[in-house]
Amino acid sequence: MDFTFSSIIDITASFFGGSTTLAGLALMLMAWAVCAVILYNCKAPPQYSIVLLIPISIFFMAYGVLNETIGLLIVLISAFLVASEARRIAS
């Protein structure tokens, strides 16, 4: 069995009727959930788990799995949440 990134995307896309965008979003959601559980066990604020979504969405956009509009929206919302948390910590 081939265990590459494109084969993982193809296998995941088969669950969503062949849509690679939904497969990319599902993989991003899975990565975020794993990160959120790890940070929850470390007693960290939930906004820290959002930081992982920025490089993952940029990677998926560059790979062509995620639509650029959706990826840019995820990056902007994630950056806003991280910046608001940083501003709250700084004051």
Side-chain angles (χ1 to χ4, degrees):
M1 175 165 191
D2 190 22
F3 196 67
T4 62
F5 183 71
S6 66
S7 68
I8 293 171
I9 292 293
D10 291 338
I11 291 169
T12 309
S14 67
F15 292 113
F16 297 107
S19 175
T20 57
T21 301
L22 286 177
L25 287 173
L27 290 174
M28 285 180 61
L29 182 65
M30 183 181 64
W32 173 78
V34 168
C35 184
V37 167
I38 291 170
L39 290 175
Y40 177 76
N41 288 333
C42 295
K43 310 273 188 289
Q47 288 86 355
Y48 290 176
S49 66
I50 301 293
V51 174
L52 180 67
L53 291 179
I54 296 171
I56 289 177
S57 64
I58 291 172
F59 175 75
F60 281 3
M61 283 188 299
Y63 198 77
V65 174
L66 194 59
N67 188 356
E68 288 84 13
T69 306
I70 295 172
L72 191 61
L73 185 65
I74 290 171
V75 168
L76 289 175
I77 291 172
S78 301
F80 174 74
L81 289 173
V82 170
S84 66
E85 177 66 18
R87 192 170 114 202
R88 187 186 66 80
I89 290 173
S91 61

